[in-house]
Amino acid sequence: MFPLGSVLFPGTAVPLQVFEPRYRALTAWCLENDPRLGVVLIERGSEVGGGDVRFAVGTQARLAEAVALPDGRWLIAVAGERRARVRRWLAEEPFPRAEVELLDDRPPLAGHPAARDAIVAKVHRALALKVALGEWHPEVAEPALAPDPVLAGWQAAAVGVLGPADCQRVLEADDVGARLALVASLLDEQIELLSLRAGRQ
């Protein structure tokens, strides 16, 4: 298990720099034995040194790339695959471990493509406002959200508009329709805040 200060969603990936000894050990173990690992958001505490409190719902992920550096650190890429719920935390040494159950989504319904299209528009609006505020470089391409509503919902939440607590709420939503509605609502809140800030400039 790899506790982080951010949420990893299924269908998305995150680059990480691994320097703490227990996560160096985790990376080496995954490379030698099984590339699957769990990623959970830290609720309270620090990513470094242990003693943190973690959310129960996270993501089963796969170690997609790993580059060893001369000083013992690793540069890795972790790809999210499926949601998972921690049933029980196990020993923390040599690295955090847990028993988990995998969580599946209910199949998307007919109305979800329209919800997906509305979310795409909101993401574009939010990023345009971030460009105006100097928080998103205009030369950086806007993310292309997948046609699949489930994956598009994850990607929209992962763009960088929502904070970790809101991302966790999205990850914990079991129903696809409710999740897409939540993503849309959270994006609306951020668009309103970004609009107010842009109007003060």
Side-chain angles (χ1 to χ4, degrees), residues 7 10 14 18-19 25 28 31 43 54 61 76 81 83-84 102 137 169-170 176-177 183 194:
V7 173
V14 63
V18 181
F19 59 89
L31 289 170
E43 186 174 5
R54 304 151 188 168
I76 66 174
E81 294 184 334
R83 295 188 310 134
L102 297 177
H137 199 283
R169 290 176 60 193
V170 172
V176 176
V183 172
L194 291 167

Side-chain angles (χ1 to χ4, degrees), residues 108-172:
L109 301 177
H112 292 161
R116 176 259 178 206
D117 293 344
I119 285 173
V120 170
K122 294 176 192 296
V123 167
H124 290 169
R125 174 60 178 153
L127 292 181
L129 287 165
K130 289 179 82 68
V131 168
L133 289 165
E135 298 174 2
W136 184 277
H137 199 283
E139 295 182 2
V140 176
E142 292 185 0
L145 273 59
D148 174 64
V150 175
L151 181 53
W154 296 134
Q155 293 171 334
V159 162
V161 176
L162 307 182
D166 286 338
C167 286
Q168 183 65 28
R169 290 176 60 193
V170 172
L171 186 67
E172 292 181 2

Side-chain angles (χ1 to χ4, degrees), residues 94-110:
F95 45 77
R97 294 177 295 147
E99 292 180 359
V100 304
E101 61 175 318
L102 297 177
L103 304 174
D104 288 317
D105 288 323
R106 298 171 189 158
L109 301 177

